[in-house]
Amino acid sequence: MKQALRNLSILVGTMMIALPASASVTGNVGATSNYLWRGVTQTGDATAIQGGIDYEHDSGFYLGTWASNVDFGDDTSYELDVYGGYSGSIGEDFGYDVSYLYYAYPDSDGEIDFGEVSVGVSWKWLSLSYSTILNAGDDVASSPLDNEDMSYINAGVSFPLSDSLSISAHYGYSTGDVVTSWFGEDNYADYSVSLDKETEYGSFSFMVSDTDLEDDDPKVIIGYSYSFDM
């Protein structure tokens, strides 16, 4: 799989050299006070530096890679994601997206990489998606639990408050053997509310997030990201 990741990186680099007029490559860098994934910290409630590269074609096809530092309490120090998919719209209000995302942890001692396929739809300010594990390493879940048994439902709503300010709310529901292995519960929900501000210097966000996991407390997250053409 590391060779596959390397080949995808080469492909992205090739795209940046000579792009047709109907395609674009952008980069992004950012920082967050706490990297949350489905409501759960990936950095031991510490800060994270993140960034990625995205290729988009007018046809709807896209490809990208993204990285962040992580802290799982072991030797794993960073996450490297590679993803691709197809998105489009029907009329002005209805949108759809089908994608595959591979989560890689190259310096982990265990085989904890996994991939997910997702299908999503949106209508005006509403969005709904379903994700499920498609392939996974042998150490994603503890034996005898199934390494590829985890699904996620994600529902969201977003309203513009002005030309540059928006408010969003999110609800997610995780279930499966992997959830049981990680948290000792068959399922859990995560939810958040966030304010996002777009400026000429980048995007700023303020979010309050929580889960219904036992002993988990609400978290306040401040984030910043900056996107640029390449």
Side-chain angles (χ1 to χ4, degrees):
M1 184 53 68
K2 290 182 179 179
Q3 183 61 45
L5 293 175
R6 188 176 301 112
N7 290 342
L8 281 170
S9 297
I10 293 172
L11 177 60
V12 172
T14 302
M15 291 173 176
M16 291 192 299
I17 294 173
L19 288 175
S22 57
S24 65
V25 173
T26 58
N28 62 87
V29 294
T32 178
S33 60
N34 191 352
Y35 170 27
L36 299 185
W37 185 76
R38 296 174 184 174
V40 178
T41 181
Q42 305 295 289
T43 51
D45 290 324
T47 59
I49 304 299
Q50 304 167 335
I53 298 174
D54 292 286
Y55 165 83
E56 293 185 47
H57 192 272
D58 284 352
S59 64
F61 170 77
Y62 61 88
L63 179 69
T65 183
W66 181 87
S68 174
N69 60 286
V70 298
D71 183 0
F72 300 148
D74 55 19
D75 291 334
T76 308
S77 65
Y78 72 101
E79 171 187 330
L80 177 63
D81 300 344
V82 177
Y83 49 87
Y86 182 84
S87 64
S89 61
I90 301 175
E92 295 183 357
D93 297 328
F94 181 78
Y96 59 88
D97 185 284
V98 179
S99 64
Y100 174 80
L101 170 58
Y102 187 79
Y103 302 86
Y105 305 91
D107 63 351
S108 174
D109 291 334
E111 297 181 18
I112 62 173
D113 297 357
F114 66 97
E116 279 188 329
V117 61
S118 300
V119 177
V121 294
S122 63
W123 181 77
K124 293 186 177 180
W125 35 267
L126 295 171
S127 63
L128 180 67
S129 66
Y130 173 81
S131 304
T132 186
I133 290 183
L134 189 64
N135 57 287
D138 293 338
D139 300 319
V140 170
S142 56
S143 181
L145 298 174
D146 188 347
N147 290 295
E148 298 182 0
D149 180 26
M150 181 171 68
S151 60
Y152 185 66
I153 297 173
N154 179 13
V157 57
S158 181
F159 295 103
L161 300 178
S162 69
D163 290 341
S164 61
L165 183 66
S166 63
I167 185 170
S168 303
H170 151 86
Y171 174 84
Y173 181 77
S174 300
T175 185
D177 278 2
V178 175
V179 175
T180 302
S181 176
W182 289 354
F183 306 112
E185 301 185 22
D186 293 339
N187 57 74
Y188 79 96
D190 68 279
Y191 25 86
S192 64
V193 176
S194 64
L195 279 172
D196 298 280
K197 175 69 174 179
E198 299 288 339
T199 76
E200 61 180 312
Y201 305 106
S203 301
F204 298 85
S205 64
F206 176 85
M207 179 174 68
V208 179
S209 177
D210 198 8
T211 75
D212 62 1
L213 289 168
E214 188 175 354
D215 300 326
D216 192 25
D217 297 321
K219 298 175 176 62
V220 176
I221 315 298
I222 298 173
Y224 168 78
S225 65
Y226 181 77
S227 300
F228 50 91
D229 294 330
M230 301 183 67

